[in-house]
Amino acid sequence: MSEKEKTEGQIKKEELFYSKKSAFEQLTADKIAEAKEYAEGYRDFIDKAKNEREAVVYAAELLKSKGYREYRIGDRISHGDKLYINNRNKSLFAIRVSEGDINCGTRIIASHIDSPRLDLKQHPLYESDGIAYFKTHYYGGIRKYQWATIPLALHGIVRKSDGETVNVRLGDEPGDPVLCITDLLPHLAKDQNTKPLGQAFTGEGLNLIVGTSPYFESDGKITETDDKVKLSVMVALNDKYGITESDFLSAELFAVPAQNCVDVGLDRWLLGAYGHDDRVCAYPSLTALLDSDGTDKTSIIVLADKEEVGSDGVGGMQNSMLLDLISELASNLGGNSNVIRVNSKCLSADVTVCFDPNYPEVSEKKNSAILHCGIGLAKYTGSGGKGGTNDCPAEFVAEVRKIFDDAGAVWQTAELGKVDQGGGGTVAKFIANRNIDTVDVGVPVLSMHAPFELISKLDLYSAHVAFTAFLK
Ligand code: MN
Ligand code: MN
């Protein structure tokens, strides 16, 4: 229908109503192709960085290759510097210092690089009825039943008392053995089936099968000691990694899904992987930093640890490192850290729930992020009447909205489920509490916190475009 044929009411409606369009409808064919291409870089990142330590290594290598150099709190900072802080191999800060007045503030994008998983306990290895197991203590919000009967890989480090660090990465390469948690057969699950979903699986029941054969003496006979299978596993670990059982005391070993990132759907527009939350925001924050070179604003990219368990600790967003960094920028560049903070702006880049047509009852569709409709901007998070939310002031929401629109970034609003259905939070409040304007934005995720989460390549690309515009 041409403009002339439209009625006044139709024209008014177009002028006055908000209508959500998907990235397929908004973007040119070139941009759509670019989005598919962009996802390939992310695929490489998410397969290599299955926990915060691996993400820090990946980010540091990428930044180094682009001219960034390692910085430690206390070192000199000059205008034009490109720096990164590797904070104890657990979190990372990338800093691009502008030539301008530091008191004008910084642009910060903060995401997190830890994901829900099963951590090995400090005394993990035991044997029961001829099977050797690792005991685990789950990390973050998991639905326990999802972690049984899937292949699990083991990632992390063992720090020996002599200071040597042994890197462990087992189960992801073709031909690698994997670990596994068993479940009941349906034939014998009568009692388990009567339990509520949240109670049918216990945390102490999440034990990983790690070996099943006894230790053989050199003459080929089965050893006559107790714990024959545990011994054969410990010998294998000693052969492979040079560790003894006591080295588990100072180890960080995580069981994560052995699955690597794959395309989902015949049209290949979804990516299925472990730990999109929140590496799907961490990766575009890095590419945005590298793509927005030449801007006059000082930029800080934070890849934080411990978001999934409350953001505490040395690598968490409640740690003082961001404040320390801003105070170093102030003292080195002739600024005032209080002034820098009040003039700084932050995107808390964390995933949001994607409306799931299979479970429409938990969301209020009008205010939910929809698949392929771009990055989700959440003015507020929280639960039970916005409890614990940052609830970003409308003024800053408007500022960010304009930045995204001017850049042609595909974006939408997002809300974590319908009112009183549950809820959640992000690192936003920890940054806003330090007097820095902060709003939540992030890629919508289907099956969030499951061992295999889904995201849209278009929404991922939208994050890159939106973040790049924010830093410019
Ligand atoms: Mn998250
Ligand atoms: Mn999460």
Side-chain angles (χ1 to χ4, degrees), residues 112 276-278 280-281 349-353 426 441-445 448:
H112 68 92
H276 285 312
D277 177 7
D278 182 35
V280 74
C281 293
D350 202 348
V351 299
T352 189
V353 62
T426 67
V441 297
V443 174
V445 177
M448 193 193 295

Side-chain angles (χ1 to χ4, degrees), residues 155-398:
H155 287 230
I157 64 148
V158 181
R159 180 74 159 202
K160 303 213 277 192
S161 55
D162 64 3
E164 186 198 344
T165 299
V166 180
N167 287 301
V168 175
R169 195 182 161 95
L170 181 73
D172 290 303
E173 302 309 319
D176 273 4
V178 298
L179 311 181
C180 192
I181 297 165
T182 55
D183 189 11
L184 282 177
L185 59 172
H187 318 63
L188 299 180
K190 183 168 68 72
D191 293 345
Q192 189 195 48
N193 285 347
T194 64
K195 293 181 185 170
L197 195 55
Q199 291 168 22
F201 293 78
T202 65
E204 289 295 350
L206 299 176
N207 302 313
L208 301 156
I209 291 183
V210 65
T212 52
S213 65
Y215 179 73
F216 288 89
E217 301 287 355
S218 53
D219 61 5
K221 292 202 177 96
I222 293 174
T223 189
E224 291 185 11
T225 64
D226 291 340
D227 287 336
K228 300 172 177 59
V229 182
K230 175 179 170 179
L231 179 62
S232 84
V233 168
M234 206 57 245
V235 168
L237 288 168
N238 185 260
D239 287 348
K240 192 167 173 62
Y241 300 112
I243 59 171
T244 64
E245 189 176 14
S246 66
D247 290 322
F248 284 122
L249 302 178
S250 49
E252 281 182 12
L253 293 169
F254 321 125
V256 296
Q259 168 83 53
N260 278 335
C261 185
V262 291
D263 288 338
V264 174
L266 297 179
D267 53 2
R268 298 179 177 272
W269 272 110
L270 300 184
L271 284 175
Y274 161 69
H276 285 312
D277 177 7
D278 182 35
R279 287 180 274 269
V280 74
C281 293
Y283 180 77
S285 75
L286 288 171
T287 58
L289 178 73
L290 300 174
D291 268 22
S292 62
D293 237 353
T295 169
D296 59 345
K297 298 186 185 92
T298 292
S299 306
I300 301 174
I301 304 299
V302 189
L303 309 185
D305 185 27
K306 292 288 173 283
E307 192 279 337
E308 296 295 356
V309 291
S311 296
D312 293 295
V314 288
M317 206 63 236
Q318 299 201 64
N319 168 273
S320 71
M321 185 66 92
L322 179 63
L323 299 185
D324 296 349
L325 173 61
I326 288 173
S327 124
E328 292 294 326
L329 287 167
S331 61
N332 279 275
L333 303 174
N336 172 326
S337 59
N338 296 340
V339 175
I340 298 173
R341 281 187 284 121
V342 77
N343 288 329
S344 288
K345 319 264 179 201
C346 175
L347 298 183
S348 163
D350 202 348
V351 299
T352 189
V353 62
C354 184
F355 176 78
D356 188 341
N358 221 11
Y359 301 95
E361 65 278 8
V362 301
S363 291
E364 187 264 293
K365 192 172 176 184
K366 199 167 172 49
N367 283 285
S368 290
I370 307 291
L371 190 72
H372 296 321
C373 289
I375 189 168
L377 184 152
K379 184 180 185 299
Y380 52 85
T381 59
S383 58
K386 297 190 177 181
T389 181
N390 161 49
D391 208 346
C392 175
E395 289 87 342
F396 187 51
V397 175

Side-chain angles (χ1 to χ4, degrees), residues 79-207:
H79 287 288
D81 276 352
K82 292 178 178 182
L83 312 166
Y84 71 89
I85 300 172
N86 173 345
N87 179 22
R88 302 166 169 95
N89 305 315
K90 299 289 275 182
S91 66
L92 182 134
F93 294 70
I95 311 108
R96 185 182 53 213
V97 186
S98 77
E99 299 291 347
D101 181 2
I102 191 65
N103 276 340
C104 293
T106 64
R107 292 289 179 279
I108 304 166
I109 303 178
S111 63
H112 68 92
I113 46 176
D114 59 319
S115 297
R117 64 192 179 215
L118 307 178
D119 290 354
L120 294 203
K121 294 194 185 195
Q122 284 189 282
H123 290 288
L125 186 59
Y126 72 101
E127 176 177 340
S128 177
D129 300 286
I131 299 179
Y133 292 95
F134 280 147
K135 288 213 74 68
T136 67
H137 194 139
Y138 69 93
Y139 173 95
I142 64 163
R143 307 189 74 198
K144 299 183 186 83
Y145 72 91
Q146 295 177 335
W147 292 74
T149 68
I150 60 168
L152 294 166
L154 193 67
H155 287 230
I157 64 148
V158 181
R159 180 74 159 202
K160 303 213 277 192
S161 55
D162 64 3
E164 186 198 344
T165 299
V166 180
N167 287 301
V168 175
R169 195 182 161 95
L170 181 73
D172 290 303
E173 302 309 319
D176 273 4
V178 298
L179 311 181
C180 192
I181 297 165
T182 55
D183 189 11
L184 282 177
L185 59 172
H187 318 63
L188 299 180
K190 183 168 68 72
D191 293 345
Q192 189 195 48
N193 285 347
T194 64
K195 293 181 185 170
L197 195 55
Q199 291 168 22
F201 293 78
T202 65
E204 289 295 350
L206 299 176
N207 302 313

